[in-house]
Amino acid sequence: MKNVNNEQLSAFVDDELGTQETEMLVRRLGTSERLRRTAMRYAVIGDAVRDDLISSDPRRLPRRVSRALSSEPARSAGAANQTRLGLLRPLGGAAVAASVALVAVLSLSDRVSAPPESAAVTVPEIATANAPVGGYSSAMISRRAGSPDQLRRYYLNHSQYATMLGGQGPLIRMVRAPDADENPDEAAGEARSEDSVE
Amino acid sequence: MMRTLVKALIGAMALAPLSGWADQDPQTMLRKTERAIETLNYEGTFVHIVDGQVDTMYVVHRVEDGVATERLVSLDGPEREVIRDQDEVTCIFSDQKSILVSRRKDDGPLRAAVPRFTDNLENHYRFRSLRSVNKLGRDAAVIAIEPQDDLRYGYKLWIDSDSGMLLKAQLVDRYRKVVEQLIFVSLDLPESIPAERLRPSIAAEGYARYVQDDTADGEQKPGRSAWQAGNLPSGFKLTASNVRMMAGASSPTEHLVYTDGLASVSVFIDQGEGDQVAPDGASRIGAANAFTTRVGPHVVTAMGEVPAVTVKMIARSVTQRPGTPVAAQ
């Protein structure tokens, strides 16, 4: 495990990493500040998704994770697993949620940062104000030959008028600038889900 | 004497902390939350989840002498920051090595069009107070806003009982599936925030800079538009319209904004030529549904954080107003 990838980190946060890999990852966490920060972020996201943030002071969570990960990097895998169980408290199937969240984070990162590949369609130059928002990838554009660029521009303009989620909604949407899905499954988009309100 | 007493009472009410919210009706809480978001100093990290995509973001909101400045930083993936003050929105995209500056009027049509919670929302939504919970170590009032038809989404909001600050928000469809949500994972509400916290962390040297001046072009009074949507969910009204050149377009786009006070739907009318037109039919981007159709040589797209059936209904009802010049051609 010379280079820790995000899937391994995700599995670690969800306590689903194998014993040997866990031991090696814990060693790496002991020496890499960047990796520790990423692990803490994933843990917080997982807890947020599970609605499992500690109630007294959320800042304690990353502190506790950091302390545990850095204090005994070479401890046995079994002991490490025990520690994580105490820290992250996956609740039944809730561990799955953290994985889902992490996969989502990774897919977003991959998508946004995808470098231009051999282009079936020329990547448009950044010509005007809205164009640079969001990551262009030629592969993305060729896959969506119907040109979702216009939808993305519409979305950014629309977002300036949106009010959802308090005052943050429009800005969040500008930062994210997601891709358009041209063939949404309308039924799936509004289907019943276990992720429901109380 | 009585007049002095009344004045003192009003003054005391104005200065009173926003405590005891649980006893107030949800609509009042909603308005106070709106005020809190605009007027409080706050700093925190939150998770934004939509369509299975999760983003962690840091936000700092500073109010000094009644002027709000805000900085939003994406903590995942490429470095991206948005800084908003009274006059400008500045977006810094490290992955694009570009800076986008959007200049805005203080109280121009765009800001005026930002939906406000209005008194007639009760005609279209049911408001319910749910059991208070503890969130982030704070007592959180929980309110549910449920649509009275299937043409708009509902909301569930967790509100700090002391400050009125929003702690968590969900956009919910008719099956109670969460479409979009924002969850603060840490939040501080300091008395003041140093101005340095608003400075961007990205060293944007050598970045391309693009300026979009929204103060000069294209805004028009609602009702002057050459286009109109004939079939809208009850309560939706036209609140803004403009005609302007969008990025990469060779002809102007007409943009209409309809809102019921909570949900908003944009209608875009464009030329139907070239490679850049939106594909016909249903699309989805983020939490927004879109539907594109053709009206003669024009492409009409309705888009908003509402169910797919709603944007389809609206897009298909868009027509040209008789006797008005069409800008988008």
Side-chain angles (χ1 to χ4, degrees):
Chain A
M1 192 188 290
K2 283 184 179 175
N3 295 311
V4 177
N5 63 37
N6 290 322
E7 283 84 358
Q8 289 168 319
L9 207 51
S10 168
F12 170 73
V13 170
D14 287 342
D15 201 32
E16 293 172 349
L17 200 61
T19 306
Q20 218 169 7
E21 282 184 303
T22 297
E23 191 172 350
M24 297 180 79
L25 178 57
V26 169
R27 284 196 196 118
R28 286 293 312 278
L29 286 167
T31 58
S32 170
E33 172 64 22
R34 183 192 62 79
L35 211 54
R36 277 201 301 274
R37 285 170 55 189
T38 307
M40 281 187 283
R41 186 174 303 156
Y42 289 170
V44 170
I45 289 173
D47 278 0
V49 170
R50 292 191 294 267
D51 213 1
D52 192 31
L53 291 167
I54 57 176
S55 58
S56 56
D57 180 357
R59 288 168 300 185
R60 284 185 195 165
L61 179 62
R63 274 191 230 125
R64 289 163 63 196
V65 173
S66 178
R67 199 181 308 131
L69 293 179
S70 59
S71 62
E72 294 182 86
R75 68 162 56 193
S76 71
N81 279 338
Q82 201 172 11
T83 303
R84 283 196 306 283
L85 279 170
L87 286 171
L88 304 177
R89 291 177 292 145
L91 299 176
V96 177
S99 291
V100 171
L102 181 54
V103 167
V105 170
L106 300 180
S107 65
L108 177 68
S109 301
D110 291 344
R111 191 187 57 205
V112 170
S113 60
E117 299 169 6
S118 58
V121 176
T122 306
V123 179
E125 294 289 325
I126 295 173
T128 48
N130 282 344
V133 180
Y136 282 117
S137 135
S138 54
M140 191 189 307
I141 291 167
S142 61
R143 193 174 66 245
R144 305 171 194 277
S147 180
D149 299 341
Q150 190 172 47
L151 281 177
R152 185 190 290 245
R153 287 194 292 272
Y154 287 170
Y155 181 75
L156 291 166
N157 278 274
H158 165 72
S159 293
Q160 295 185 51
Y161 292 85
T163 185
M164 223 296 280
L165 304 176
Q168 307 302 332
L171 287 190
I172 293 167
R173 288 164 183 157
M174 291 176 79
V175 169
R176 292 192 72 252
D179 293 327
D181 179 358
E182 292 173 28
N183 299 299
D185 181 346
E186 292 181 25
E190 294 166 33
R192 287 184 182 281
S193 165
E194 291 179 359
D195 187 12
S196 60
V197 294
E198 290 169 6
Chain B
M1 176 66 185
M2 179 60 85
R3 192 174 292 173
T4 306
L5 192 63
V6 169
K7 275 186 179 177
L9 195 59
I10 291 173
M13 288 171 66
L15 294 172
L18 302 173
S19 57
W21 278 35
D23 300 333
Q24 298 189 21
D25 65 274
Q27 293 93 324
T28 304
M29 292 164 61
L30 210 52
R31 291 191 188 92
K32 289 184 176 176
T33 296
E34 183 182 55
R35 194 182 76 195
I37 288 170
E38 291 176 353
T39 59
L40 289 179
N41 286 309
Y42 55 86
E43 182 172 15
T45 302
F46 63 87
V47 177
H48 179 246
I49 307 168
V50 59
D51 234 6
Q53 305 288 346
V54 182
D55 288 283
T56 322
M57 299 193 191
Y58 160 81
V59 64
V60 54
H61 184 270
R62 176 178 186 259
V63 180
E64 184 76 19
D65 298 329
V67 177
T69 313
E70 190 170 48
R71 176 169 161 246
L72 190 68
V73 182
S74 172
L75 300 177
D76 299 309
E79 289 179 298
R80 296 179 171 193
E81 291 193 29
V82 178
I83 298 161
R84 175 171 61 180
D85 62 24
Q86 245 184 342
D87 304 319
E88 290 182 347
V89 177
T90 302
C91 308
I92 307 172
F93 301 94
S94 68
D95 51 327
Q96 307 281 342
K97 295 201 179 308
S98 60
I99 302 171
L100 164 63
V101 179
S102 179
R103 294 197 175 124
R104 308 167 72 174
K105 293 176 184 175
D106 283 353
D107 53 356
L110 191 147
R111 289 203 176 176
V114 173
R116 300 291 177 186
F117 302 126
T118 56
D119 289 333
N120 58 3
L121 282 176
E122 292 90 341
N123 296 333
H124 316 295
Y125 296 91
R126 279 183 296 270
F127 290 79
R128 285 198 301 137
S129 287
L130 305 180
R131 185 170 48 86
S132 297
V133 297
N134 189 294
K135 191 156 282 293
L136 296 181
R138 302 166 189 271
D139 179 53
V142 185
I143 63 173
I145 307 169
E146 297 160 344
Q148 306 225 25
D149 57 35
D150 292 338
L151 297 173
R152 57 202 109 205
Y153 289 141
Y155 304 81
K156 190 175 177 187
L157 306 173
W158 286 253
I159 298 166
D160 179 17
S161 297
D162 286 334
S163 67
M165 184 64 192
L166 194 65
L167 302 176
K168 178 177 175 178
Q170 292 179 335
L171 183 68
V172 184
D173 75 10
R174 61 180 164 148
Y175 298 113
R176 297 193 157 200
K177 178 192 173 189
V178 178
V179 177
E180 181 178 24
Q181 62 180 319
L182 177 154
I183 309 164
F184 269 97
V185 296
S186 70
L187 180 66
D188 285 328
L189 299 168
E191 285 292 315
S192 63
I193 291 178
E196 299 83 64
R197 308 288 281 179
L198 277 301
R199 287 190 192 135
S201 62
I202 300 174
E205 291 175 16
Y207 282 22
R209 185 181 172 89
Y210 304 89
V211 178
Q212 175 174 299
D213 193 342
D214 285 347
T215 63
D217 63 346
E219 299 290 354
Q220 55 191 14
K221 290 182 180 174
R224 298 273 177 85
S225 169
W227 297 83
Q228 61 185 355
N231 197 6
L232 295 162
S234 62
F236 271 76
K237 292 176 182 165
L238 181 69
T239 53
S241 65
N242 62 60
V243 180
R244 63 162 61 98
M245 294 290 289
M246 285 191 183
S250 55
S251 58
T253 300
E254 184 145 358
H255 181 187
L256 313 177
V257 182
Y258 295 92
T259 179
D260 65 357
L262 275 182
S264 60
V265 174
S266 288
V267 174
F268 298 95
I269 300 99
D270 239 316
Q271 278 286 47
E273 298 171 355
D275 296 333
Q276 295 291 307
V277 297
D280 284 0
S283 306
R284 188 174 169 85
I285 181 164
N289 280 301
F291 191 88
T292 298
T293 188
R294 307 255 170 175
V295 179
H298 298 93
V299 176
V300 172
T301 299
M303 174 183 286
E305 285 76 17
V306 292
V309 65
T310 308
V311 288
K312 185 175 182 179
M313 178 184 90
I314 292 174
R316 286 185 165 173
S317 74
V318 173
T319 56
Q320 285 182 240
R321 284 176 187 271
T324 52
V326 179
Q329 62 184 0

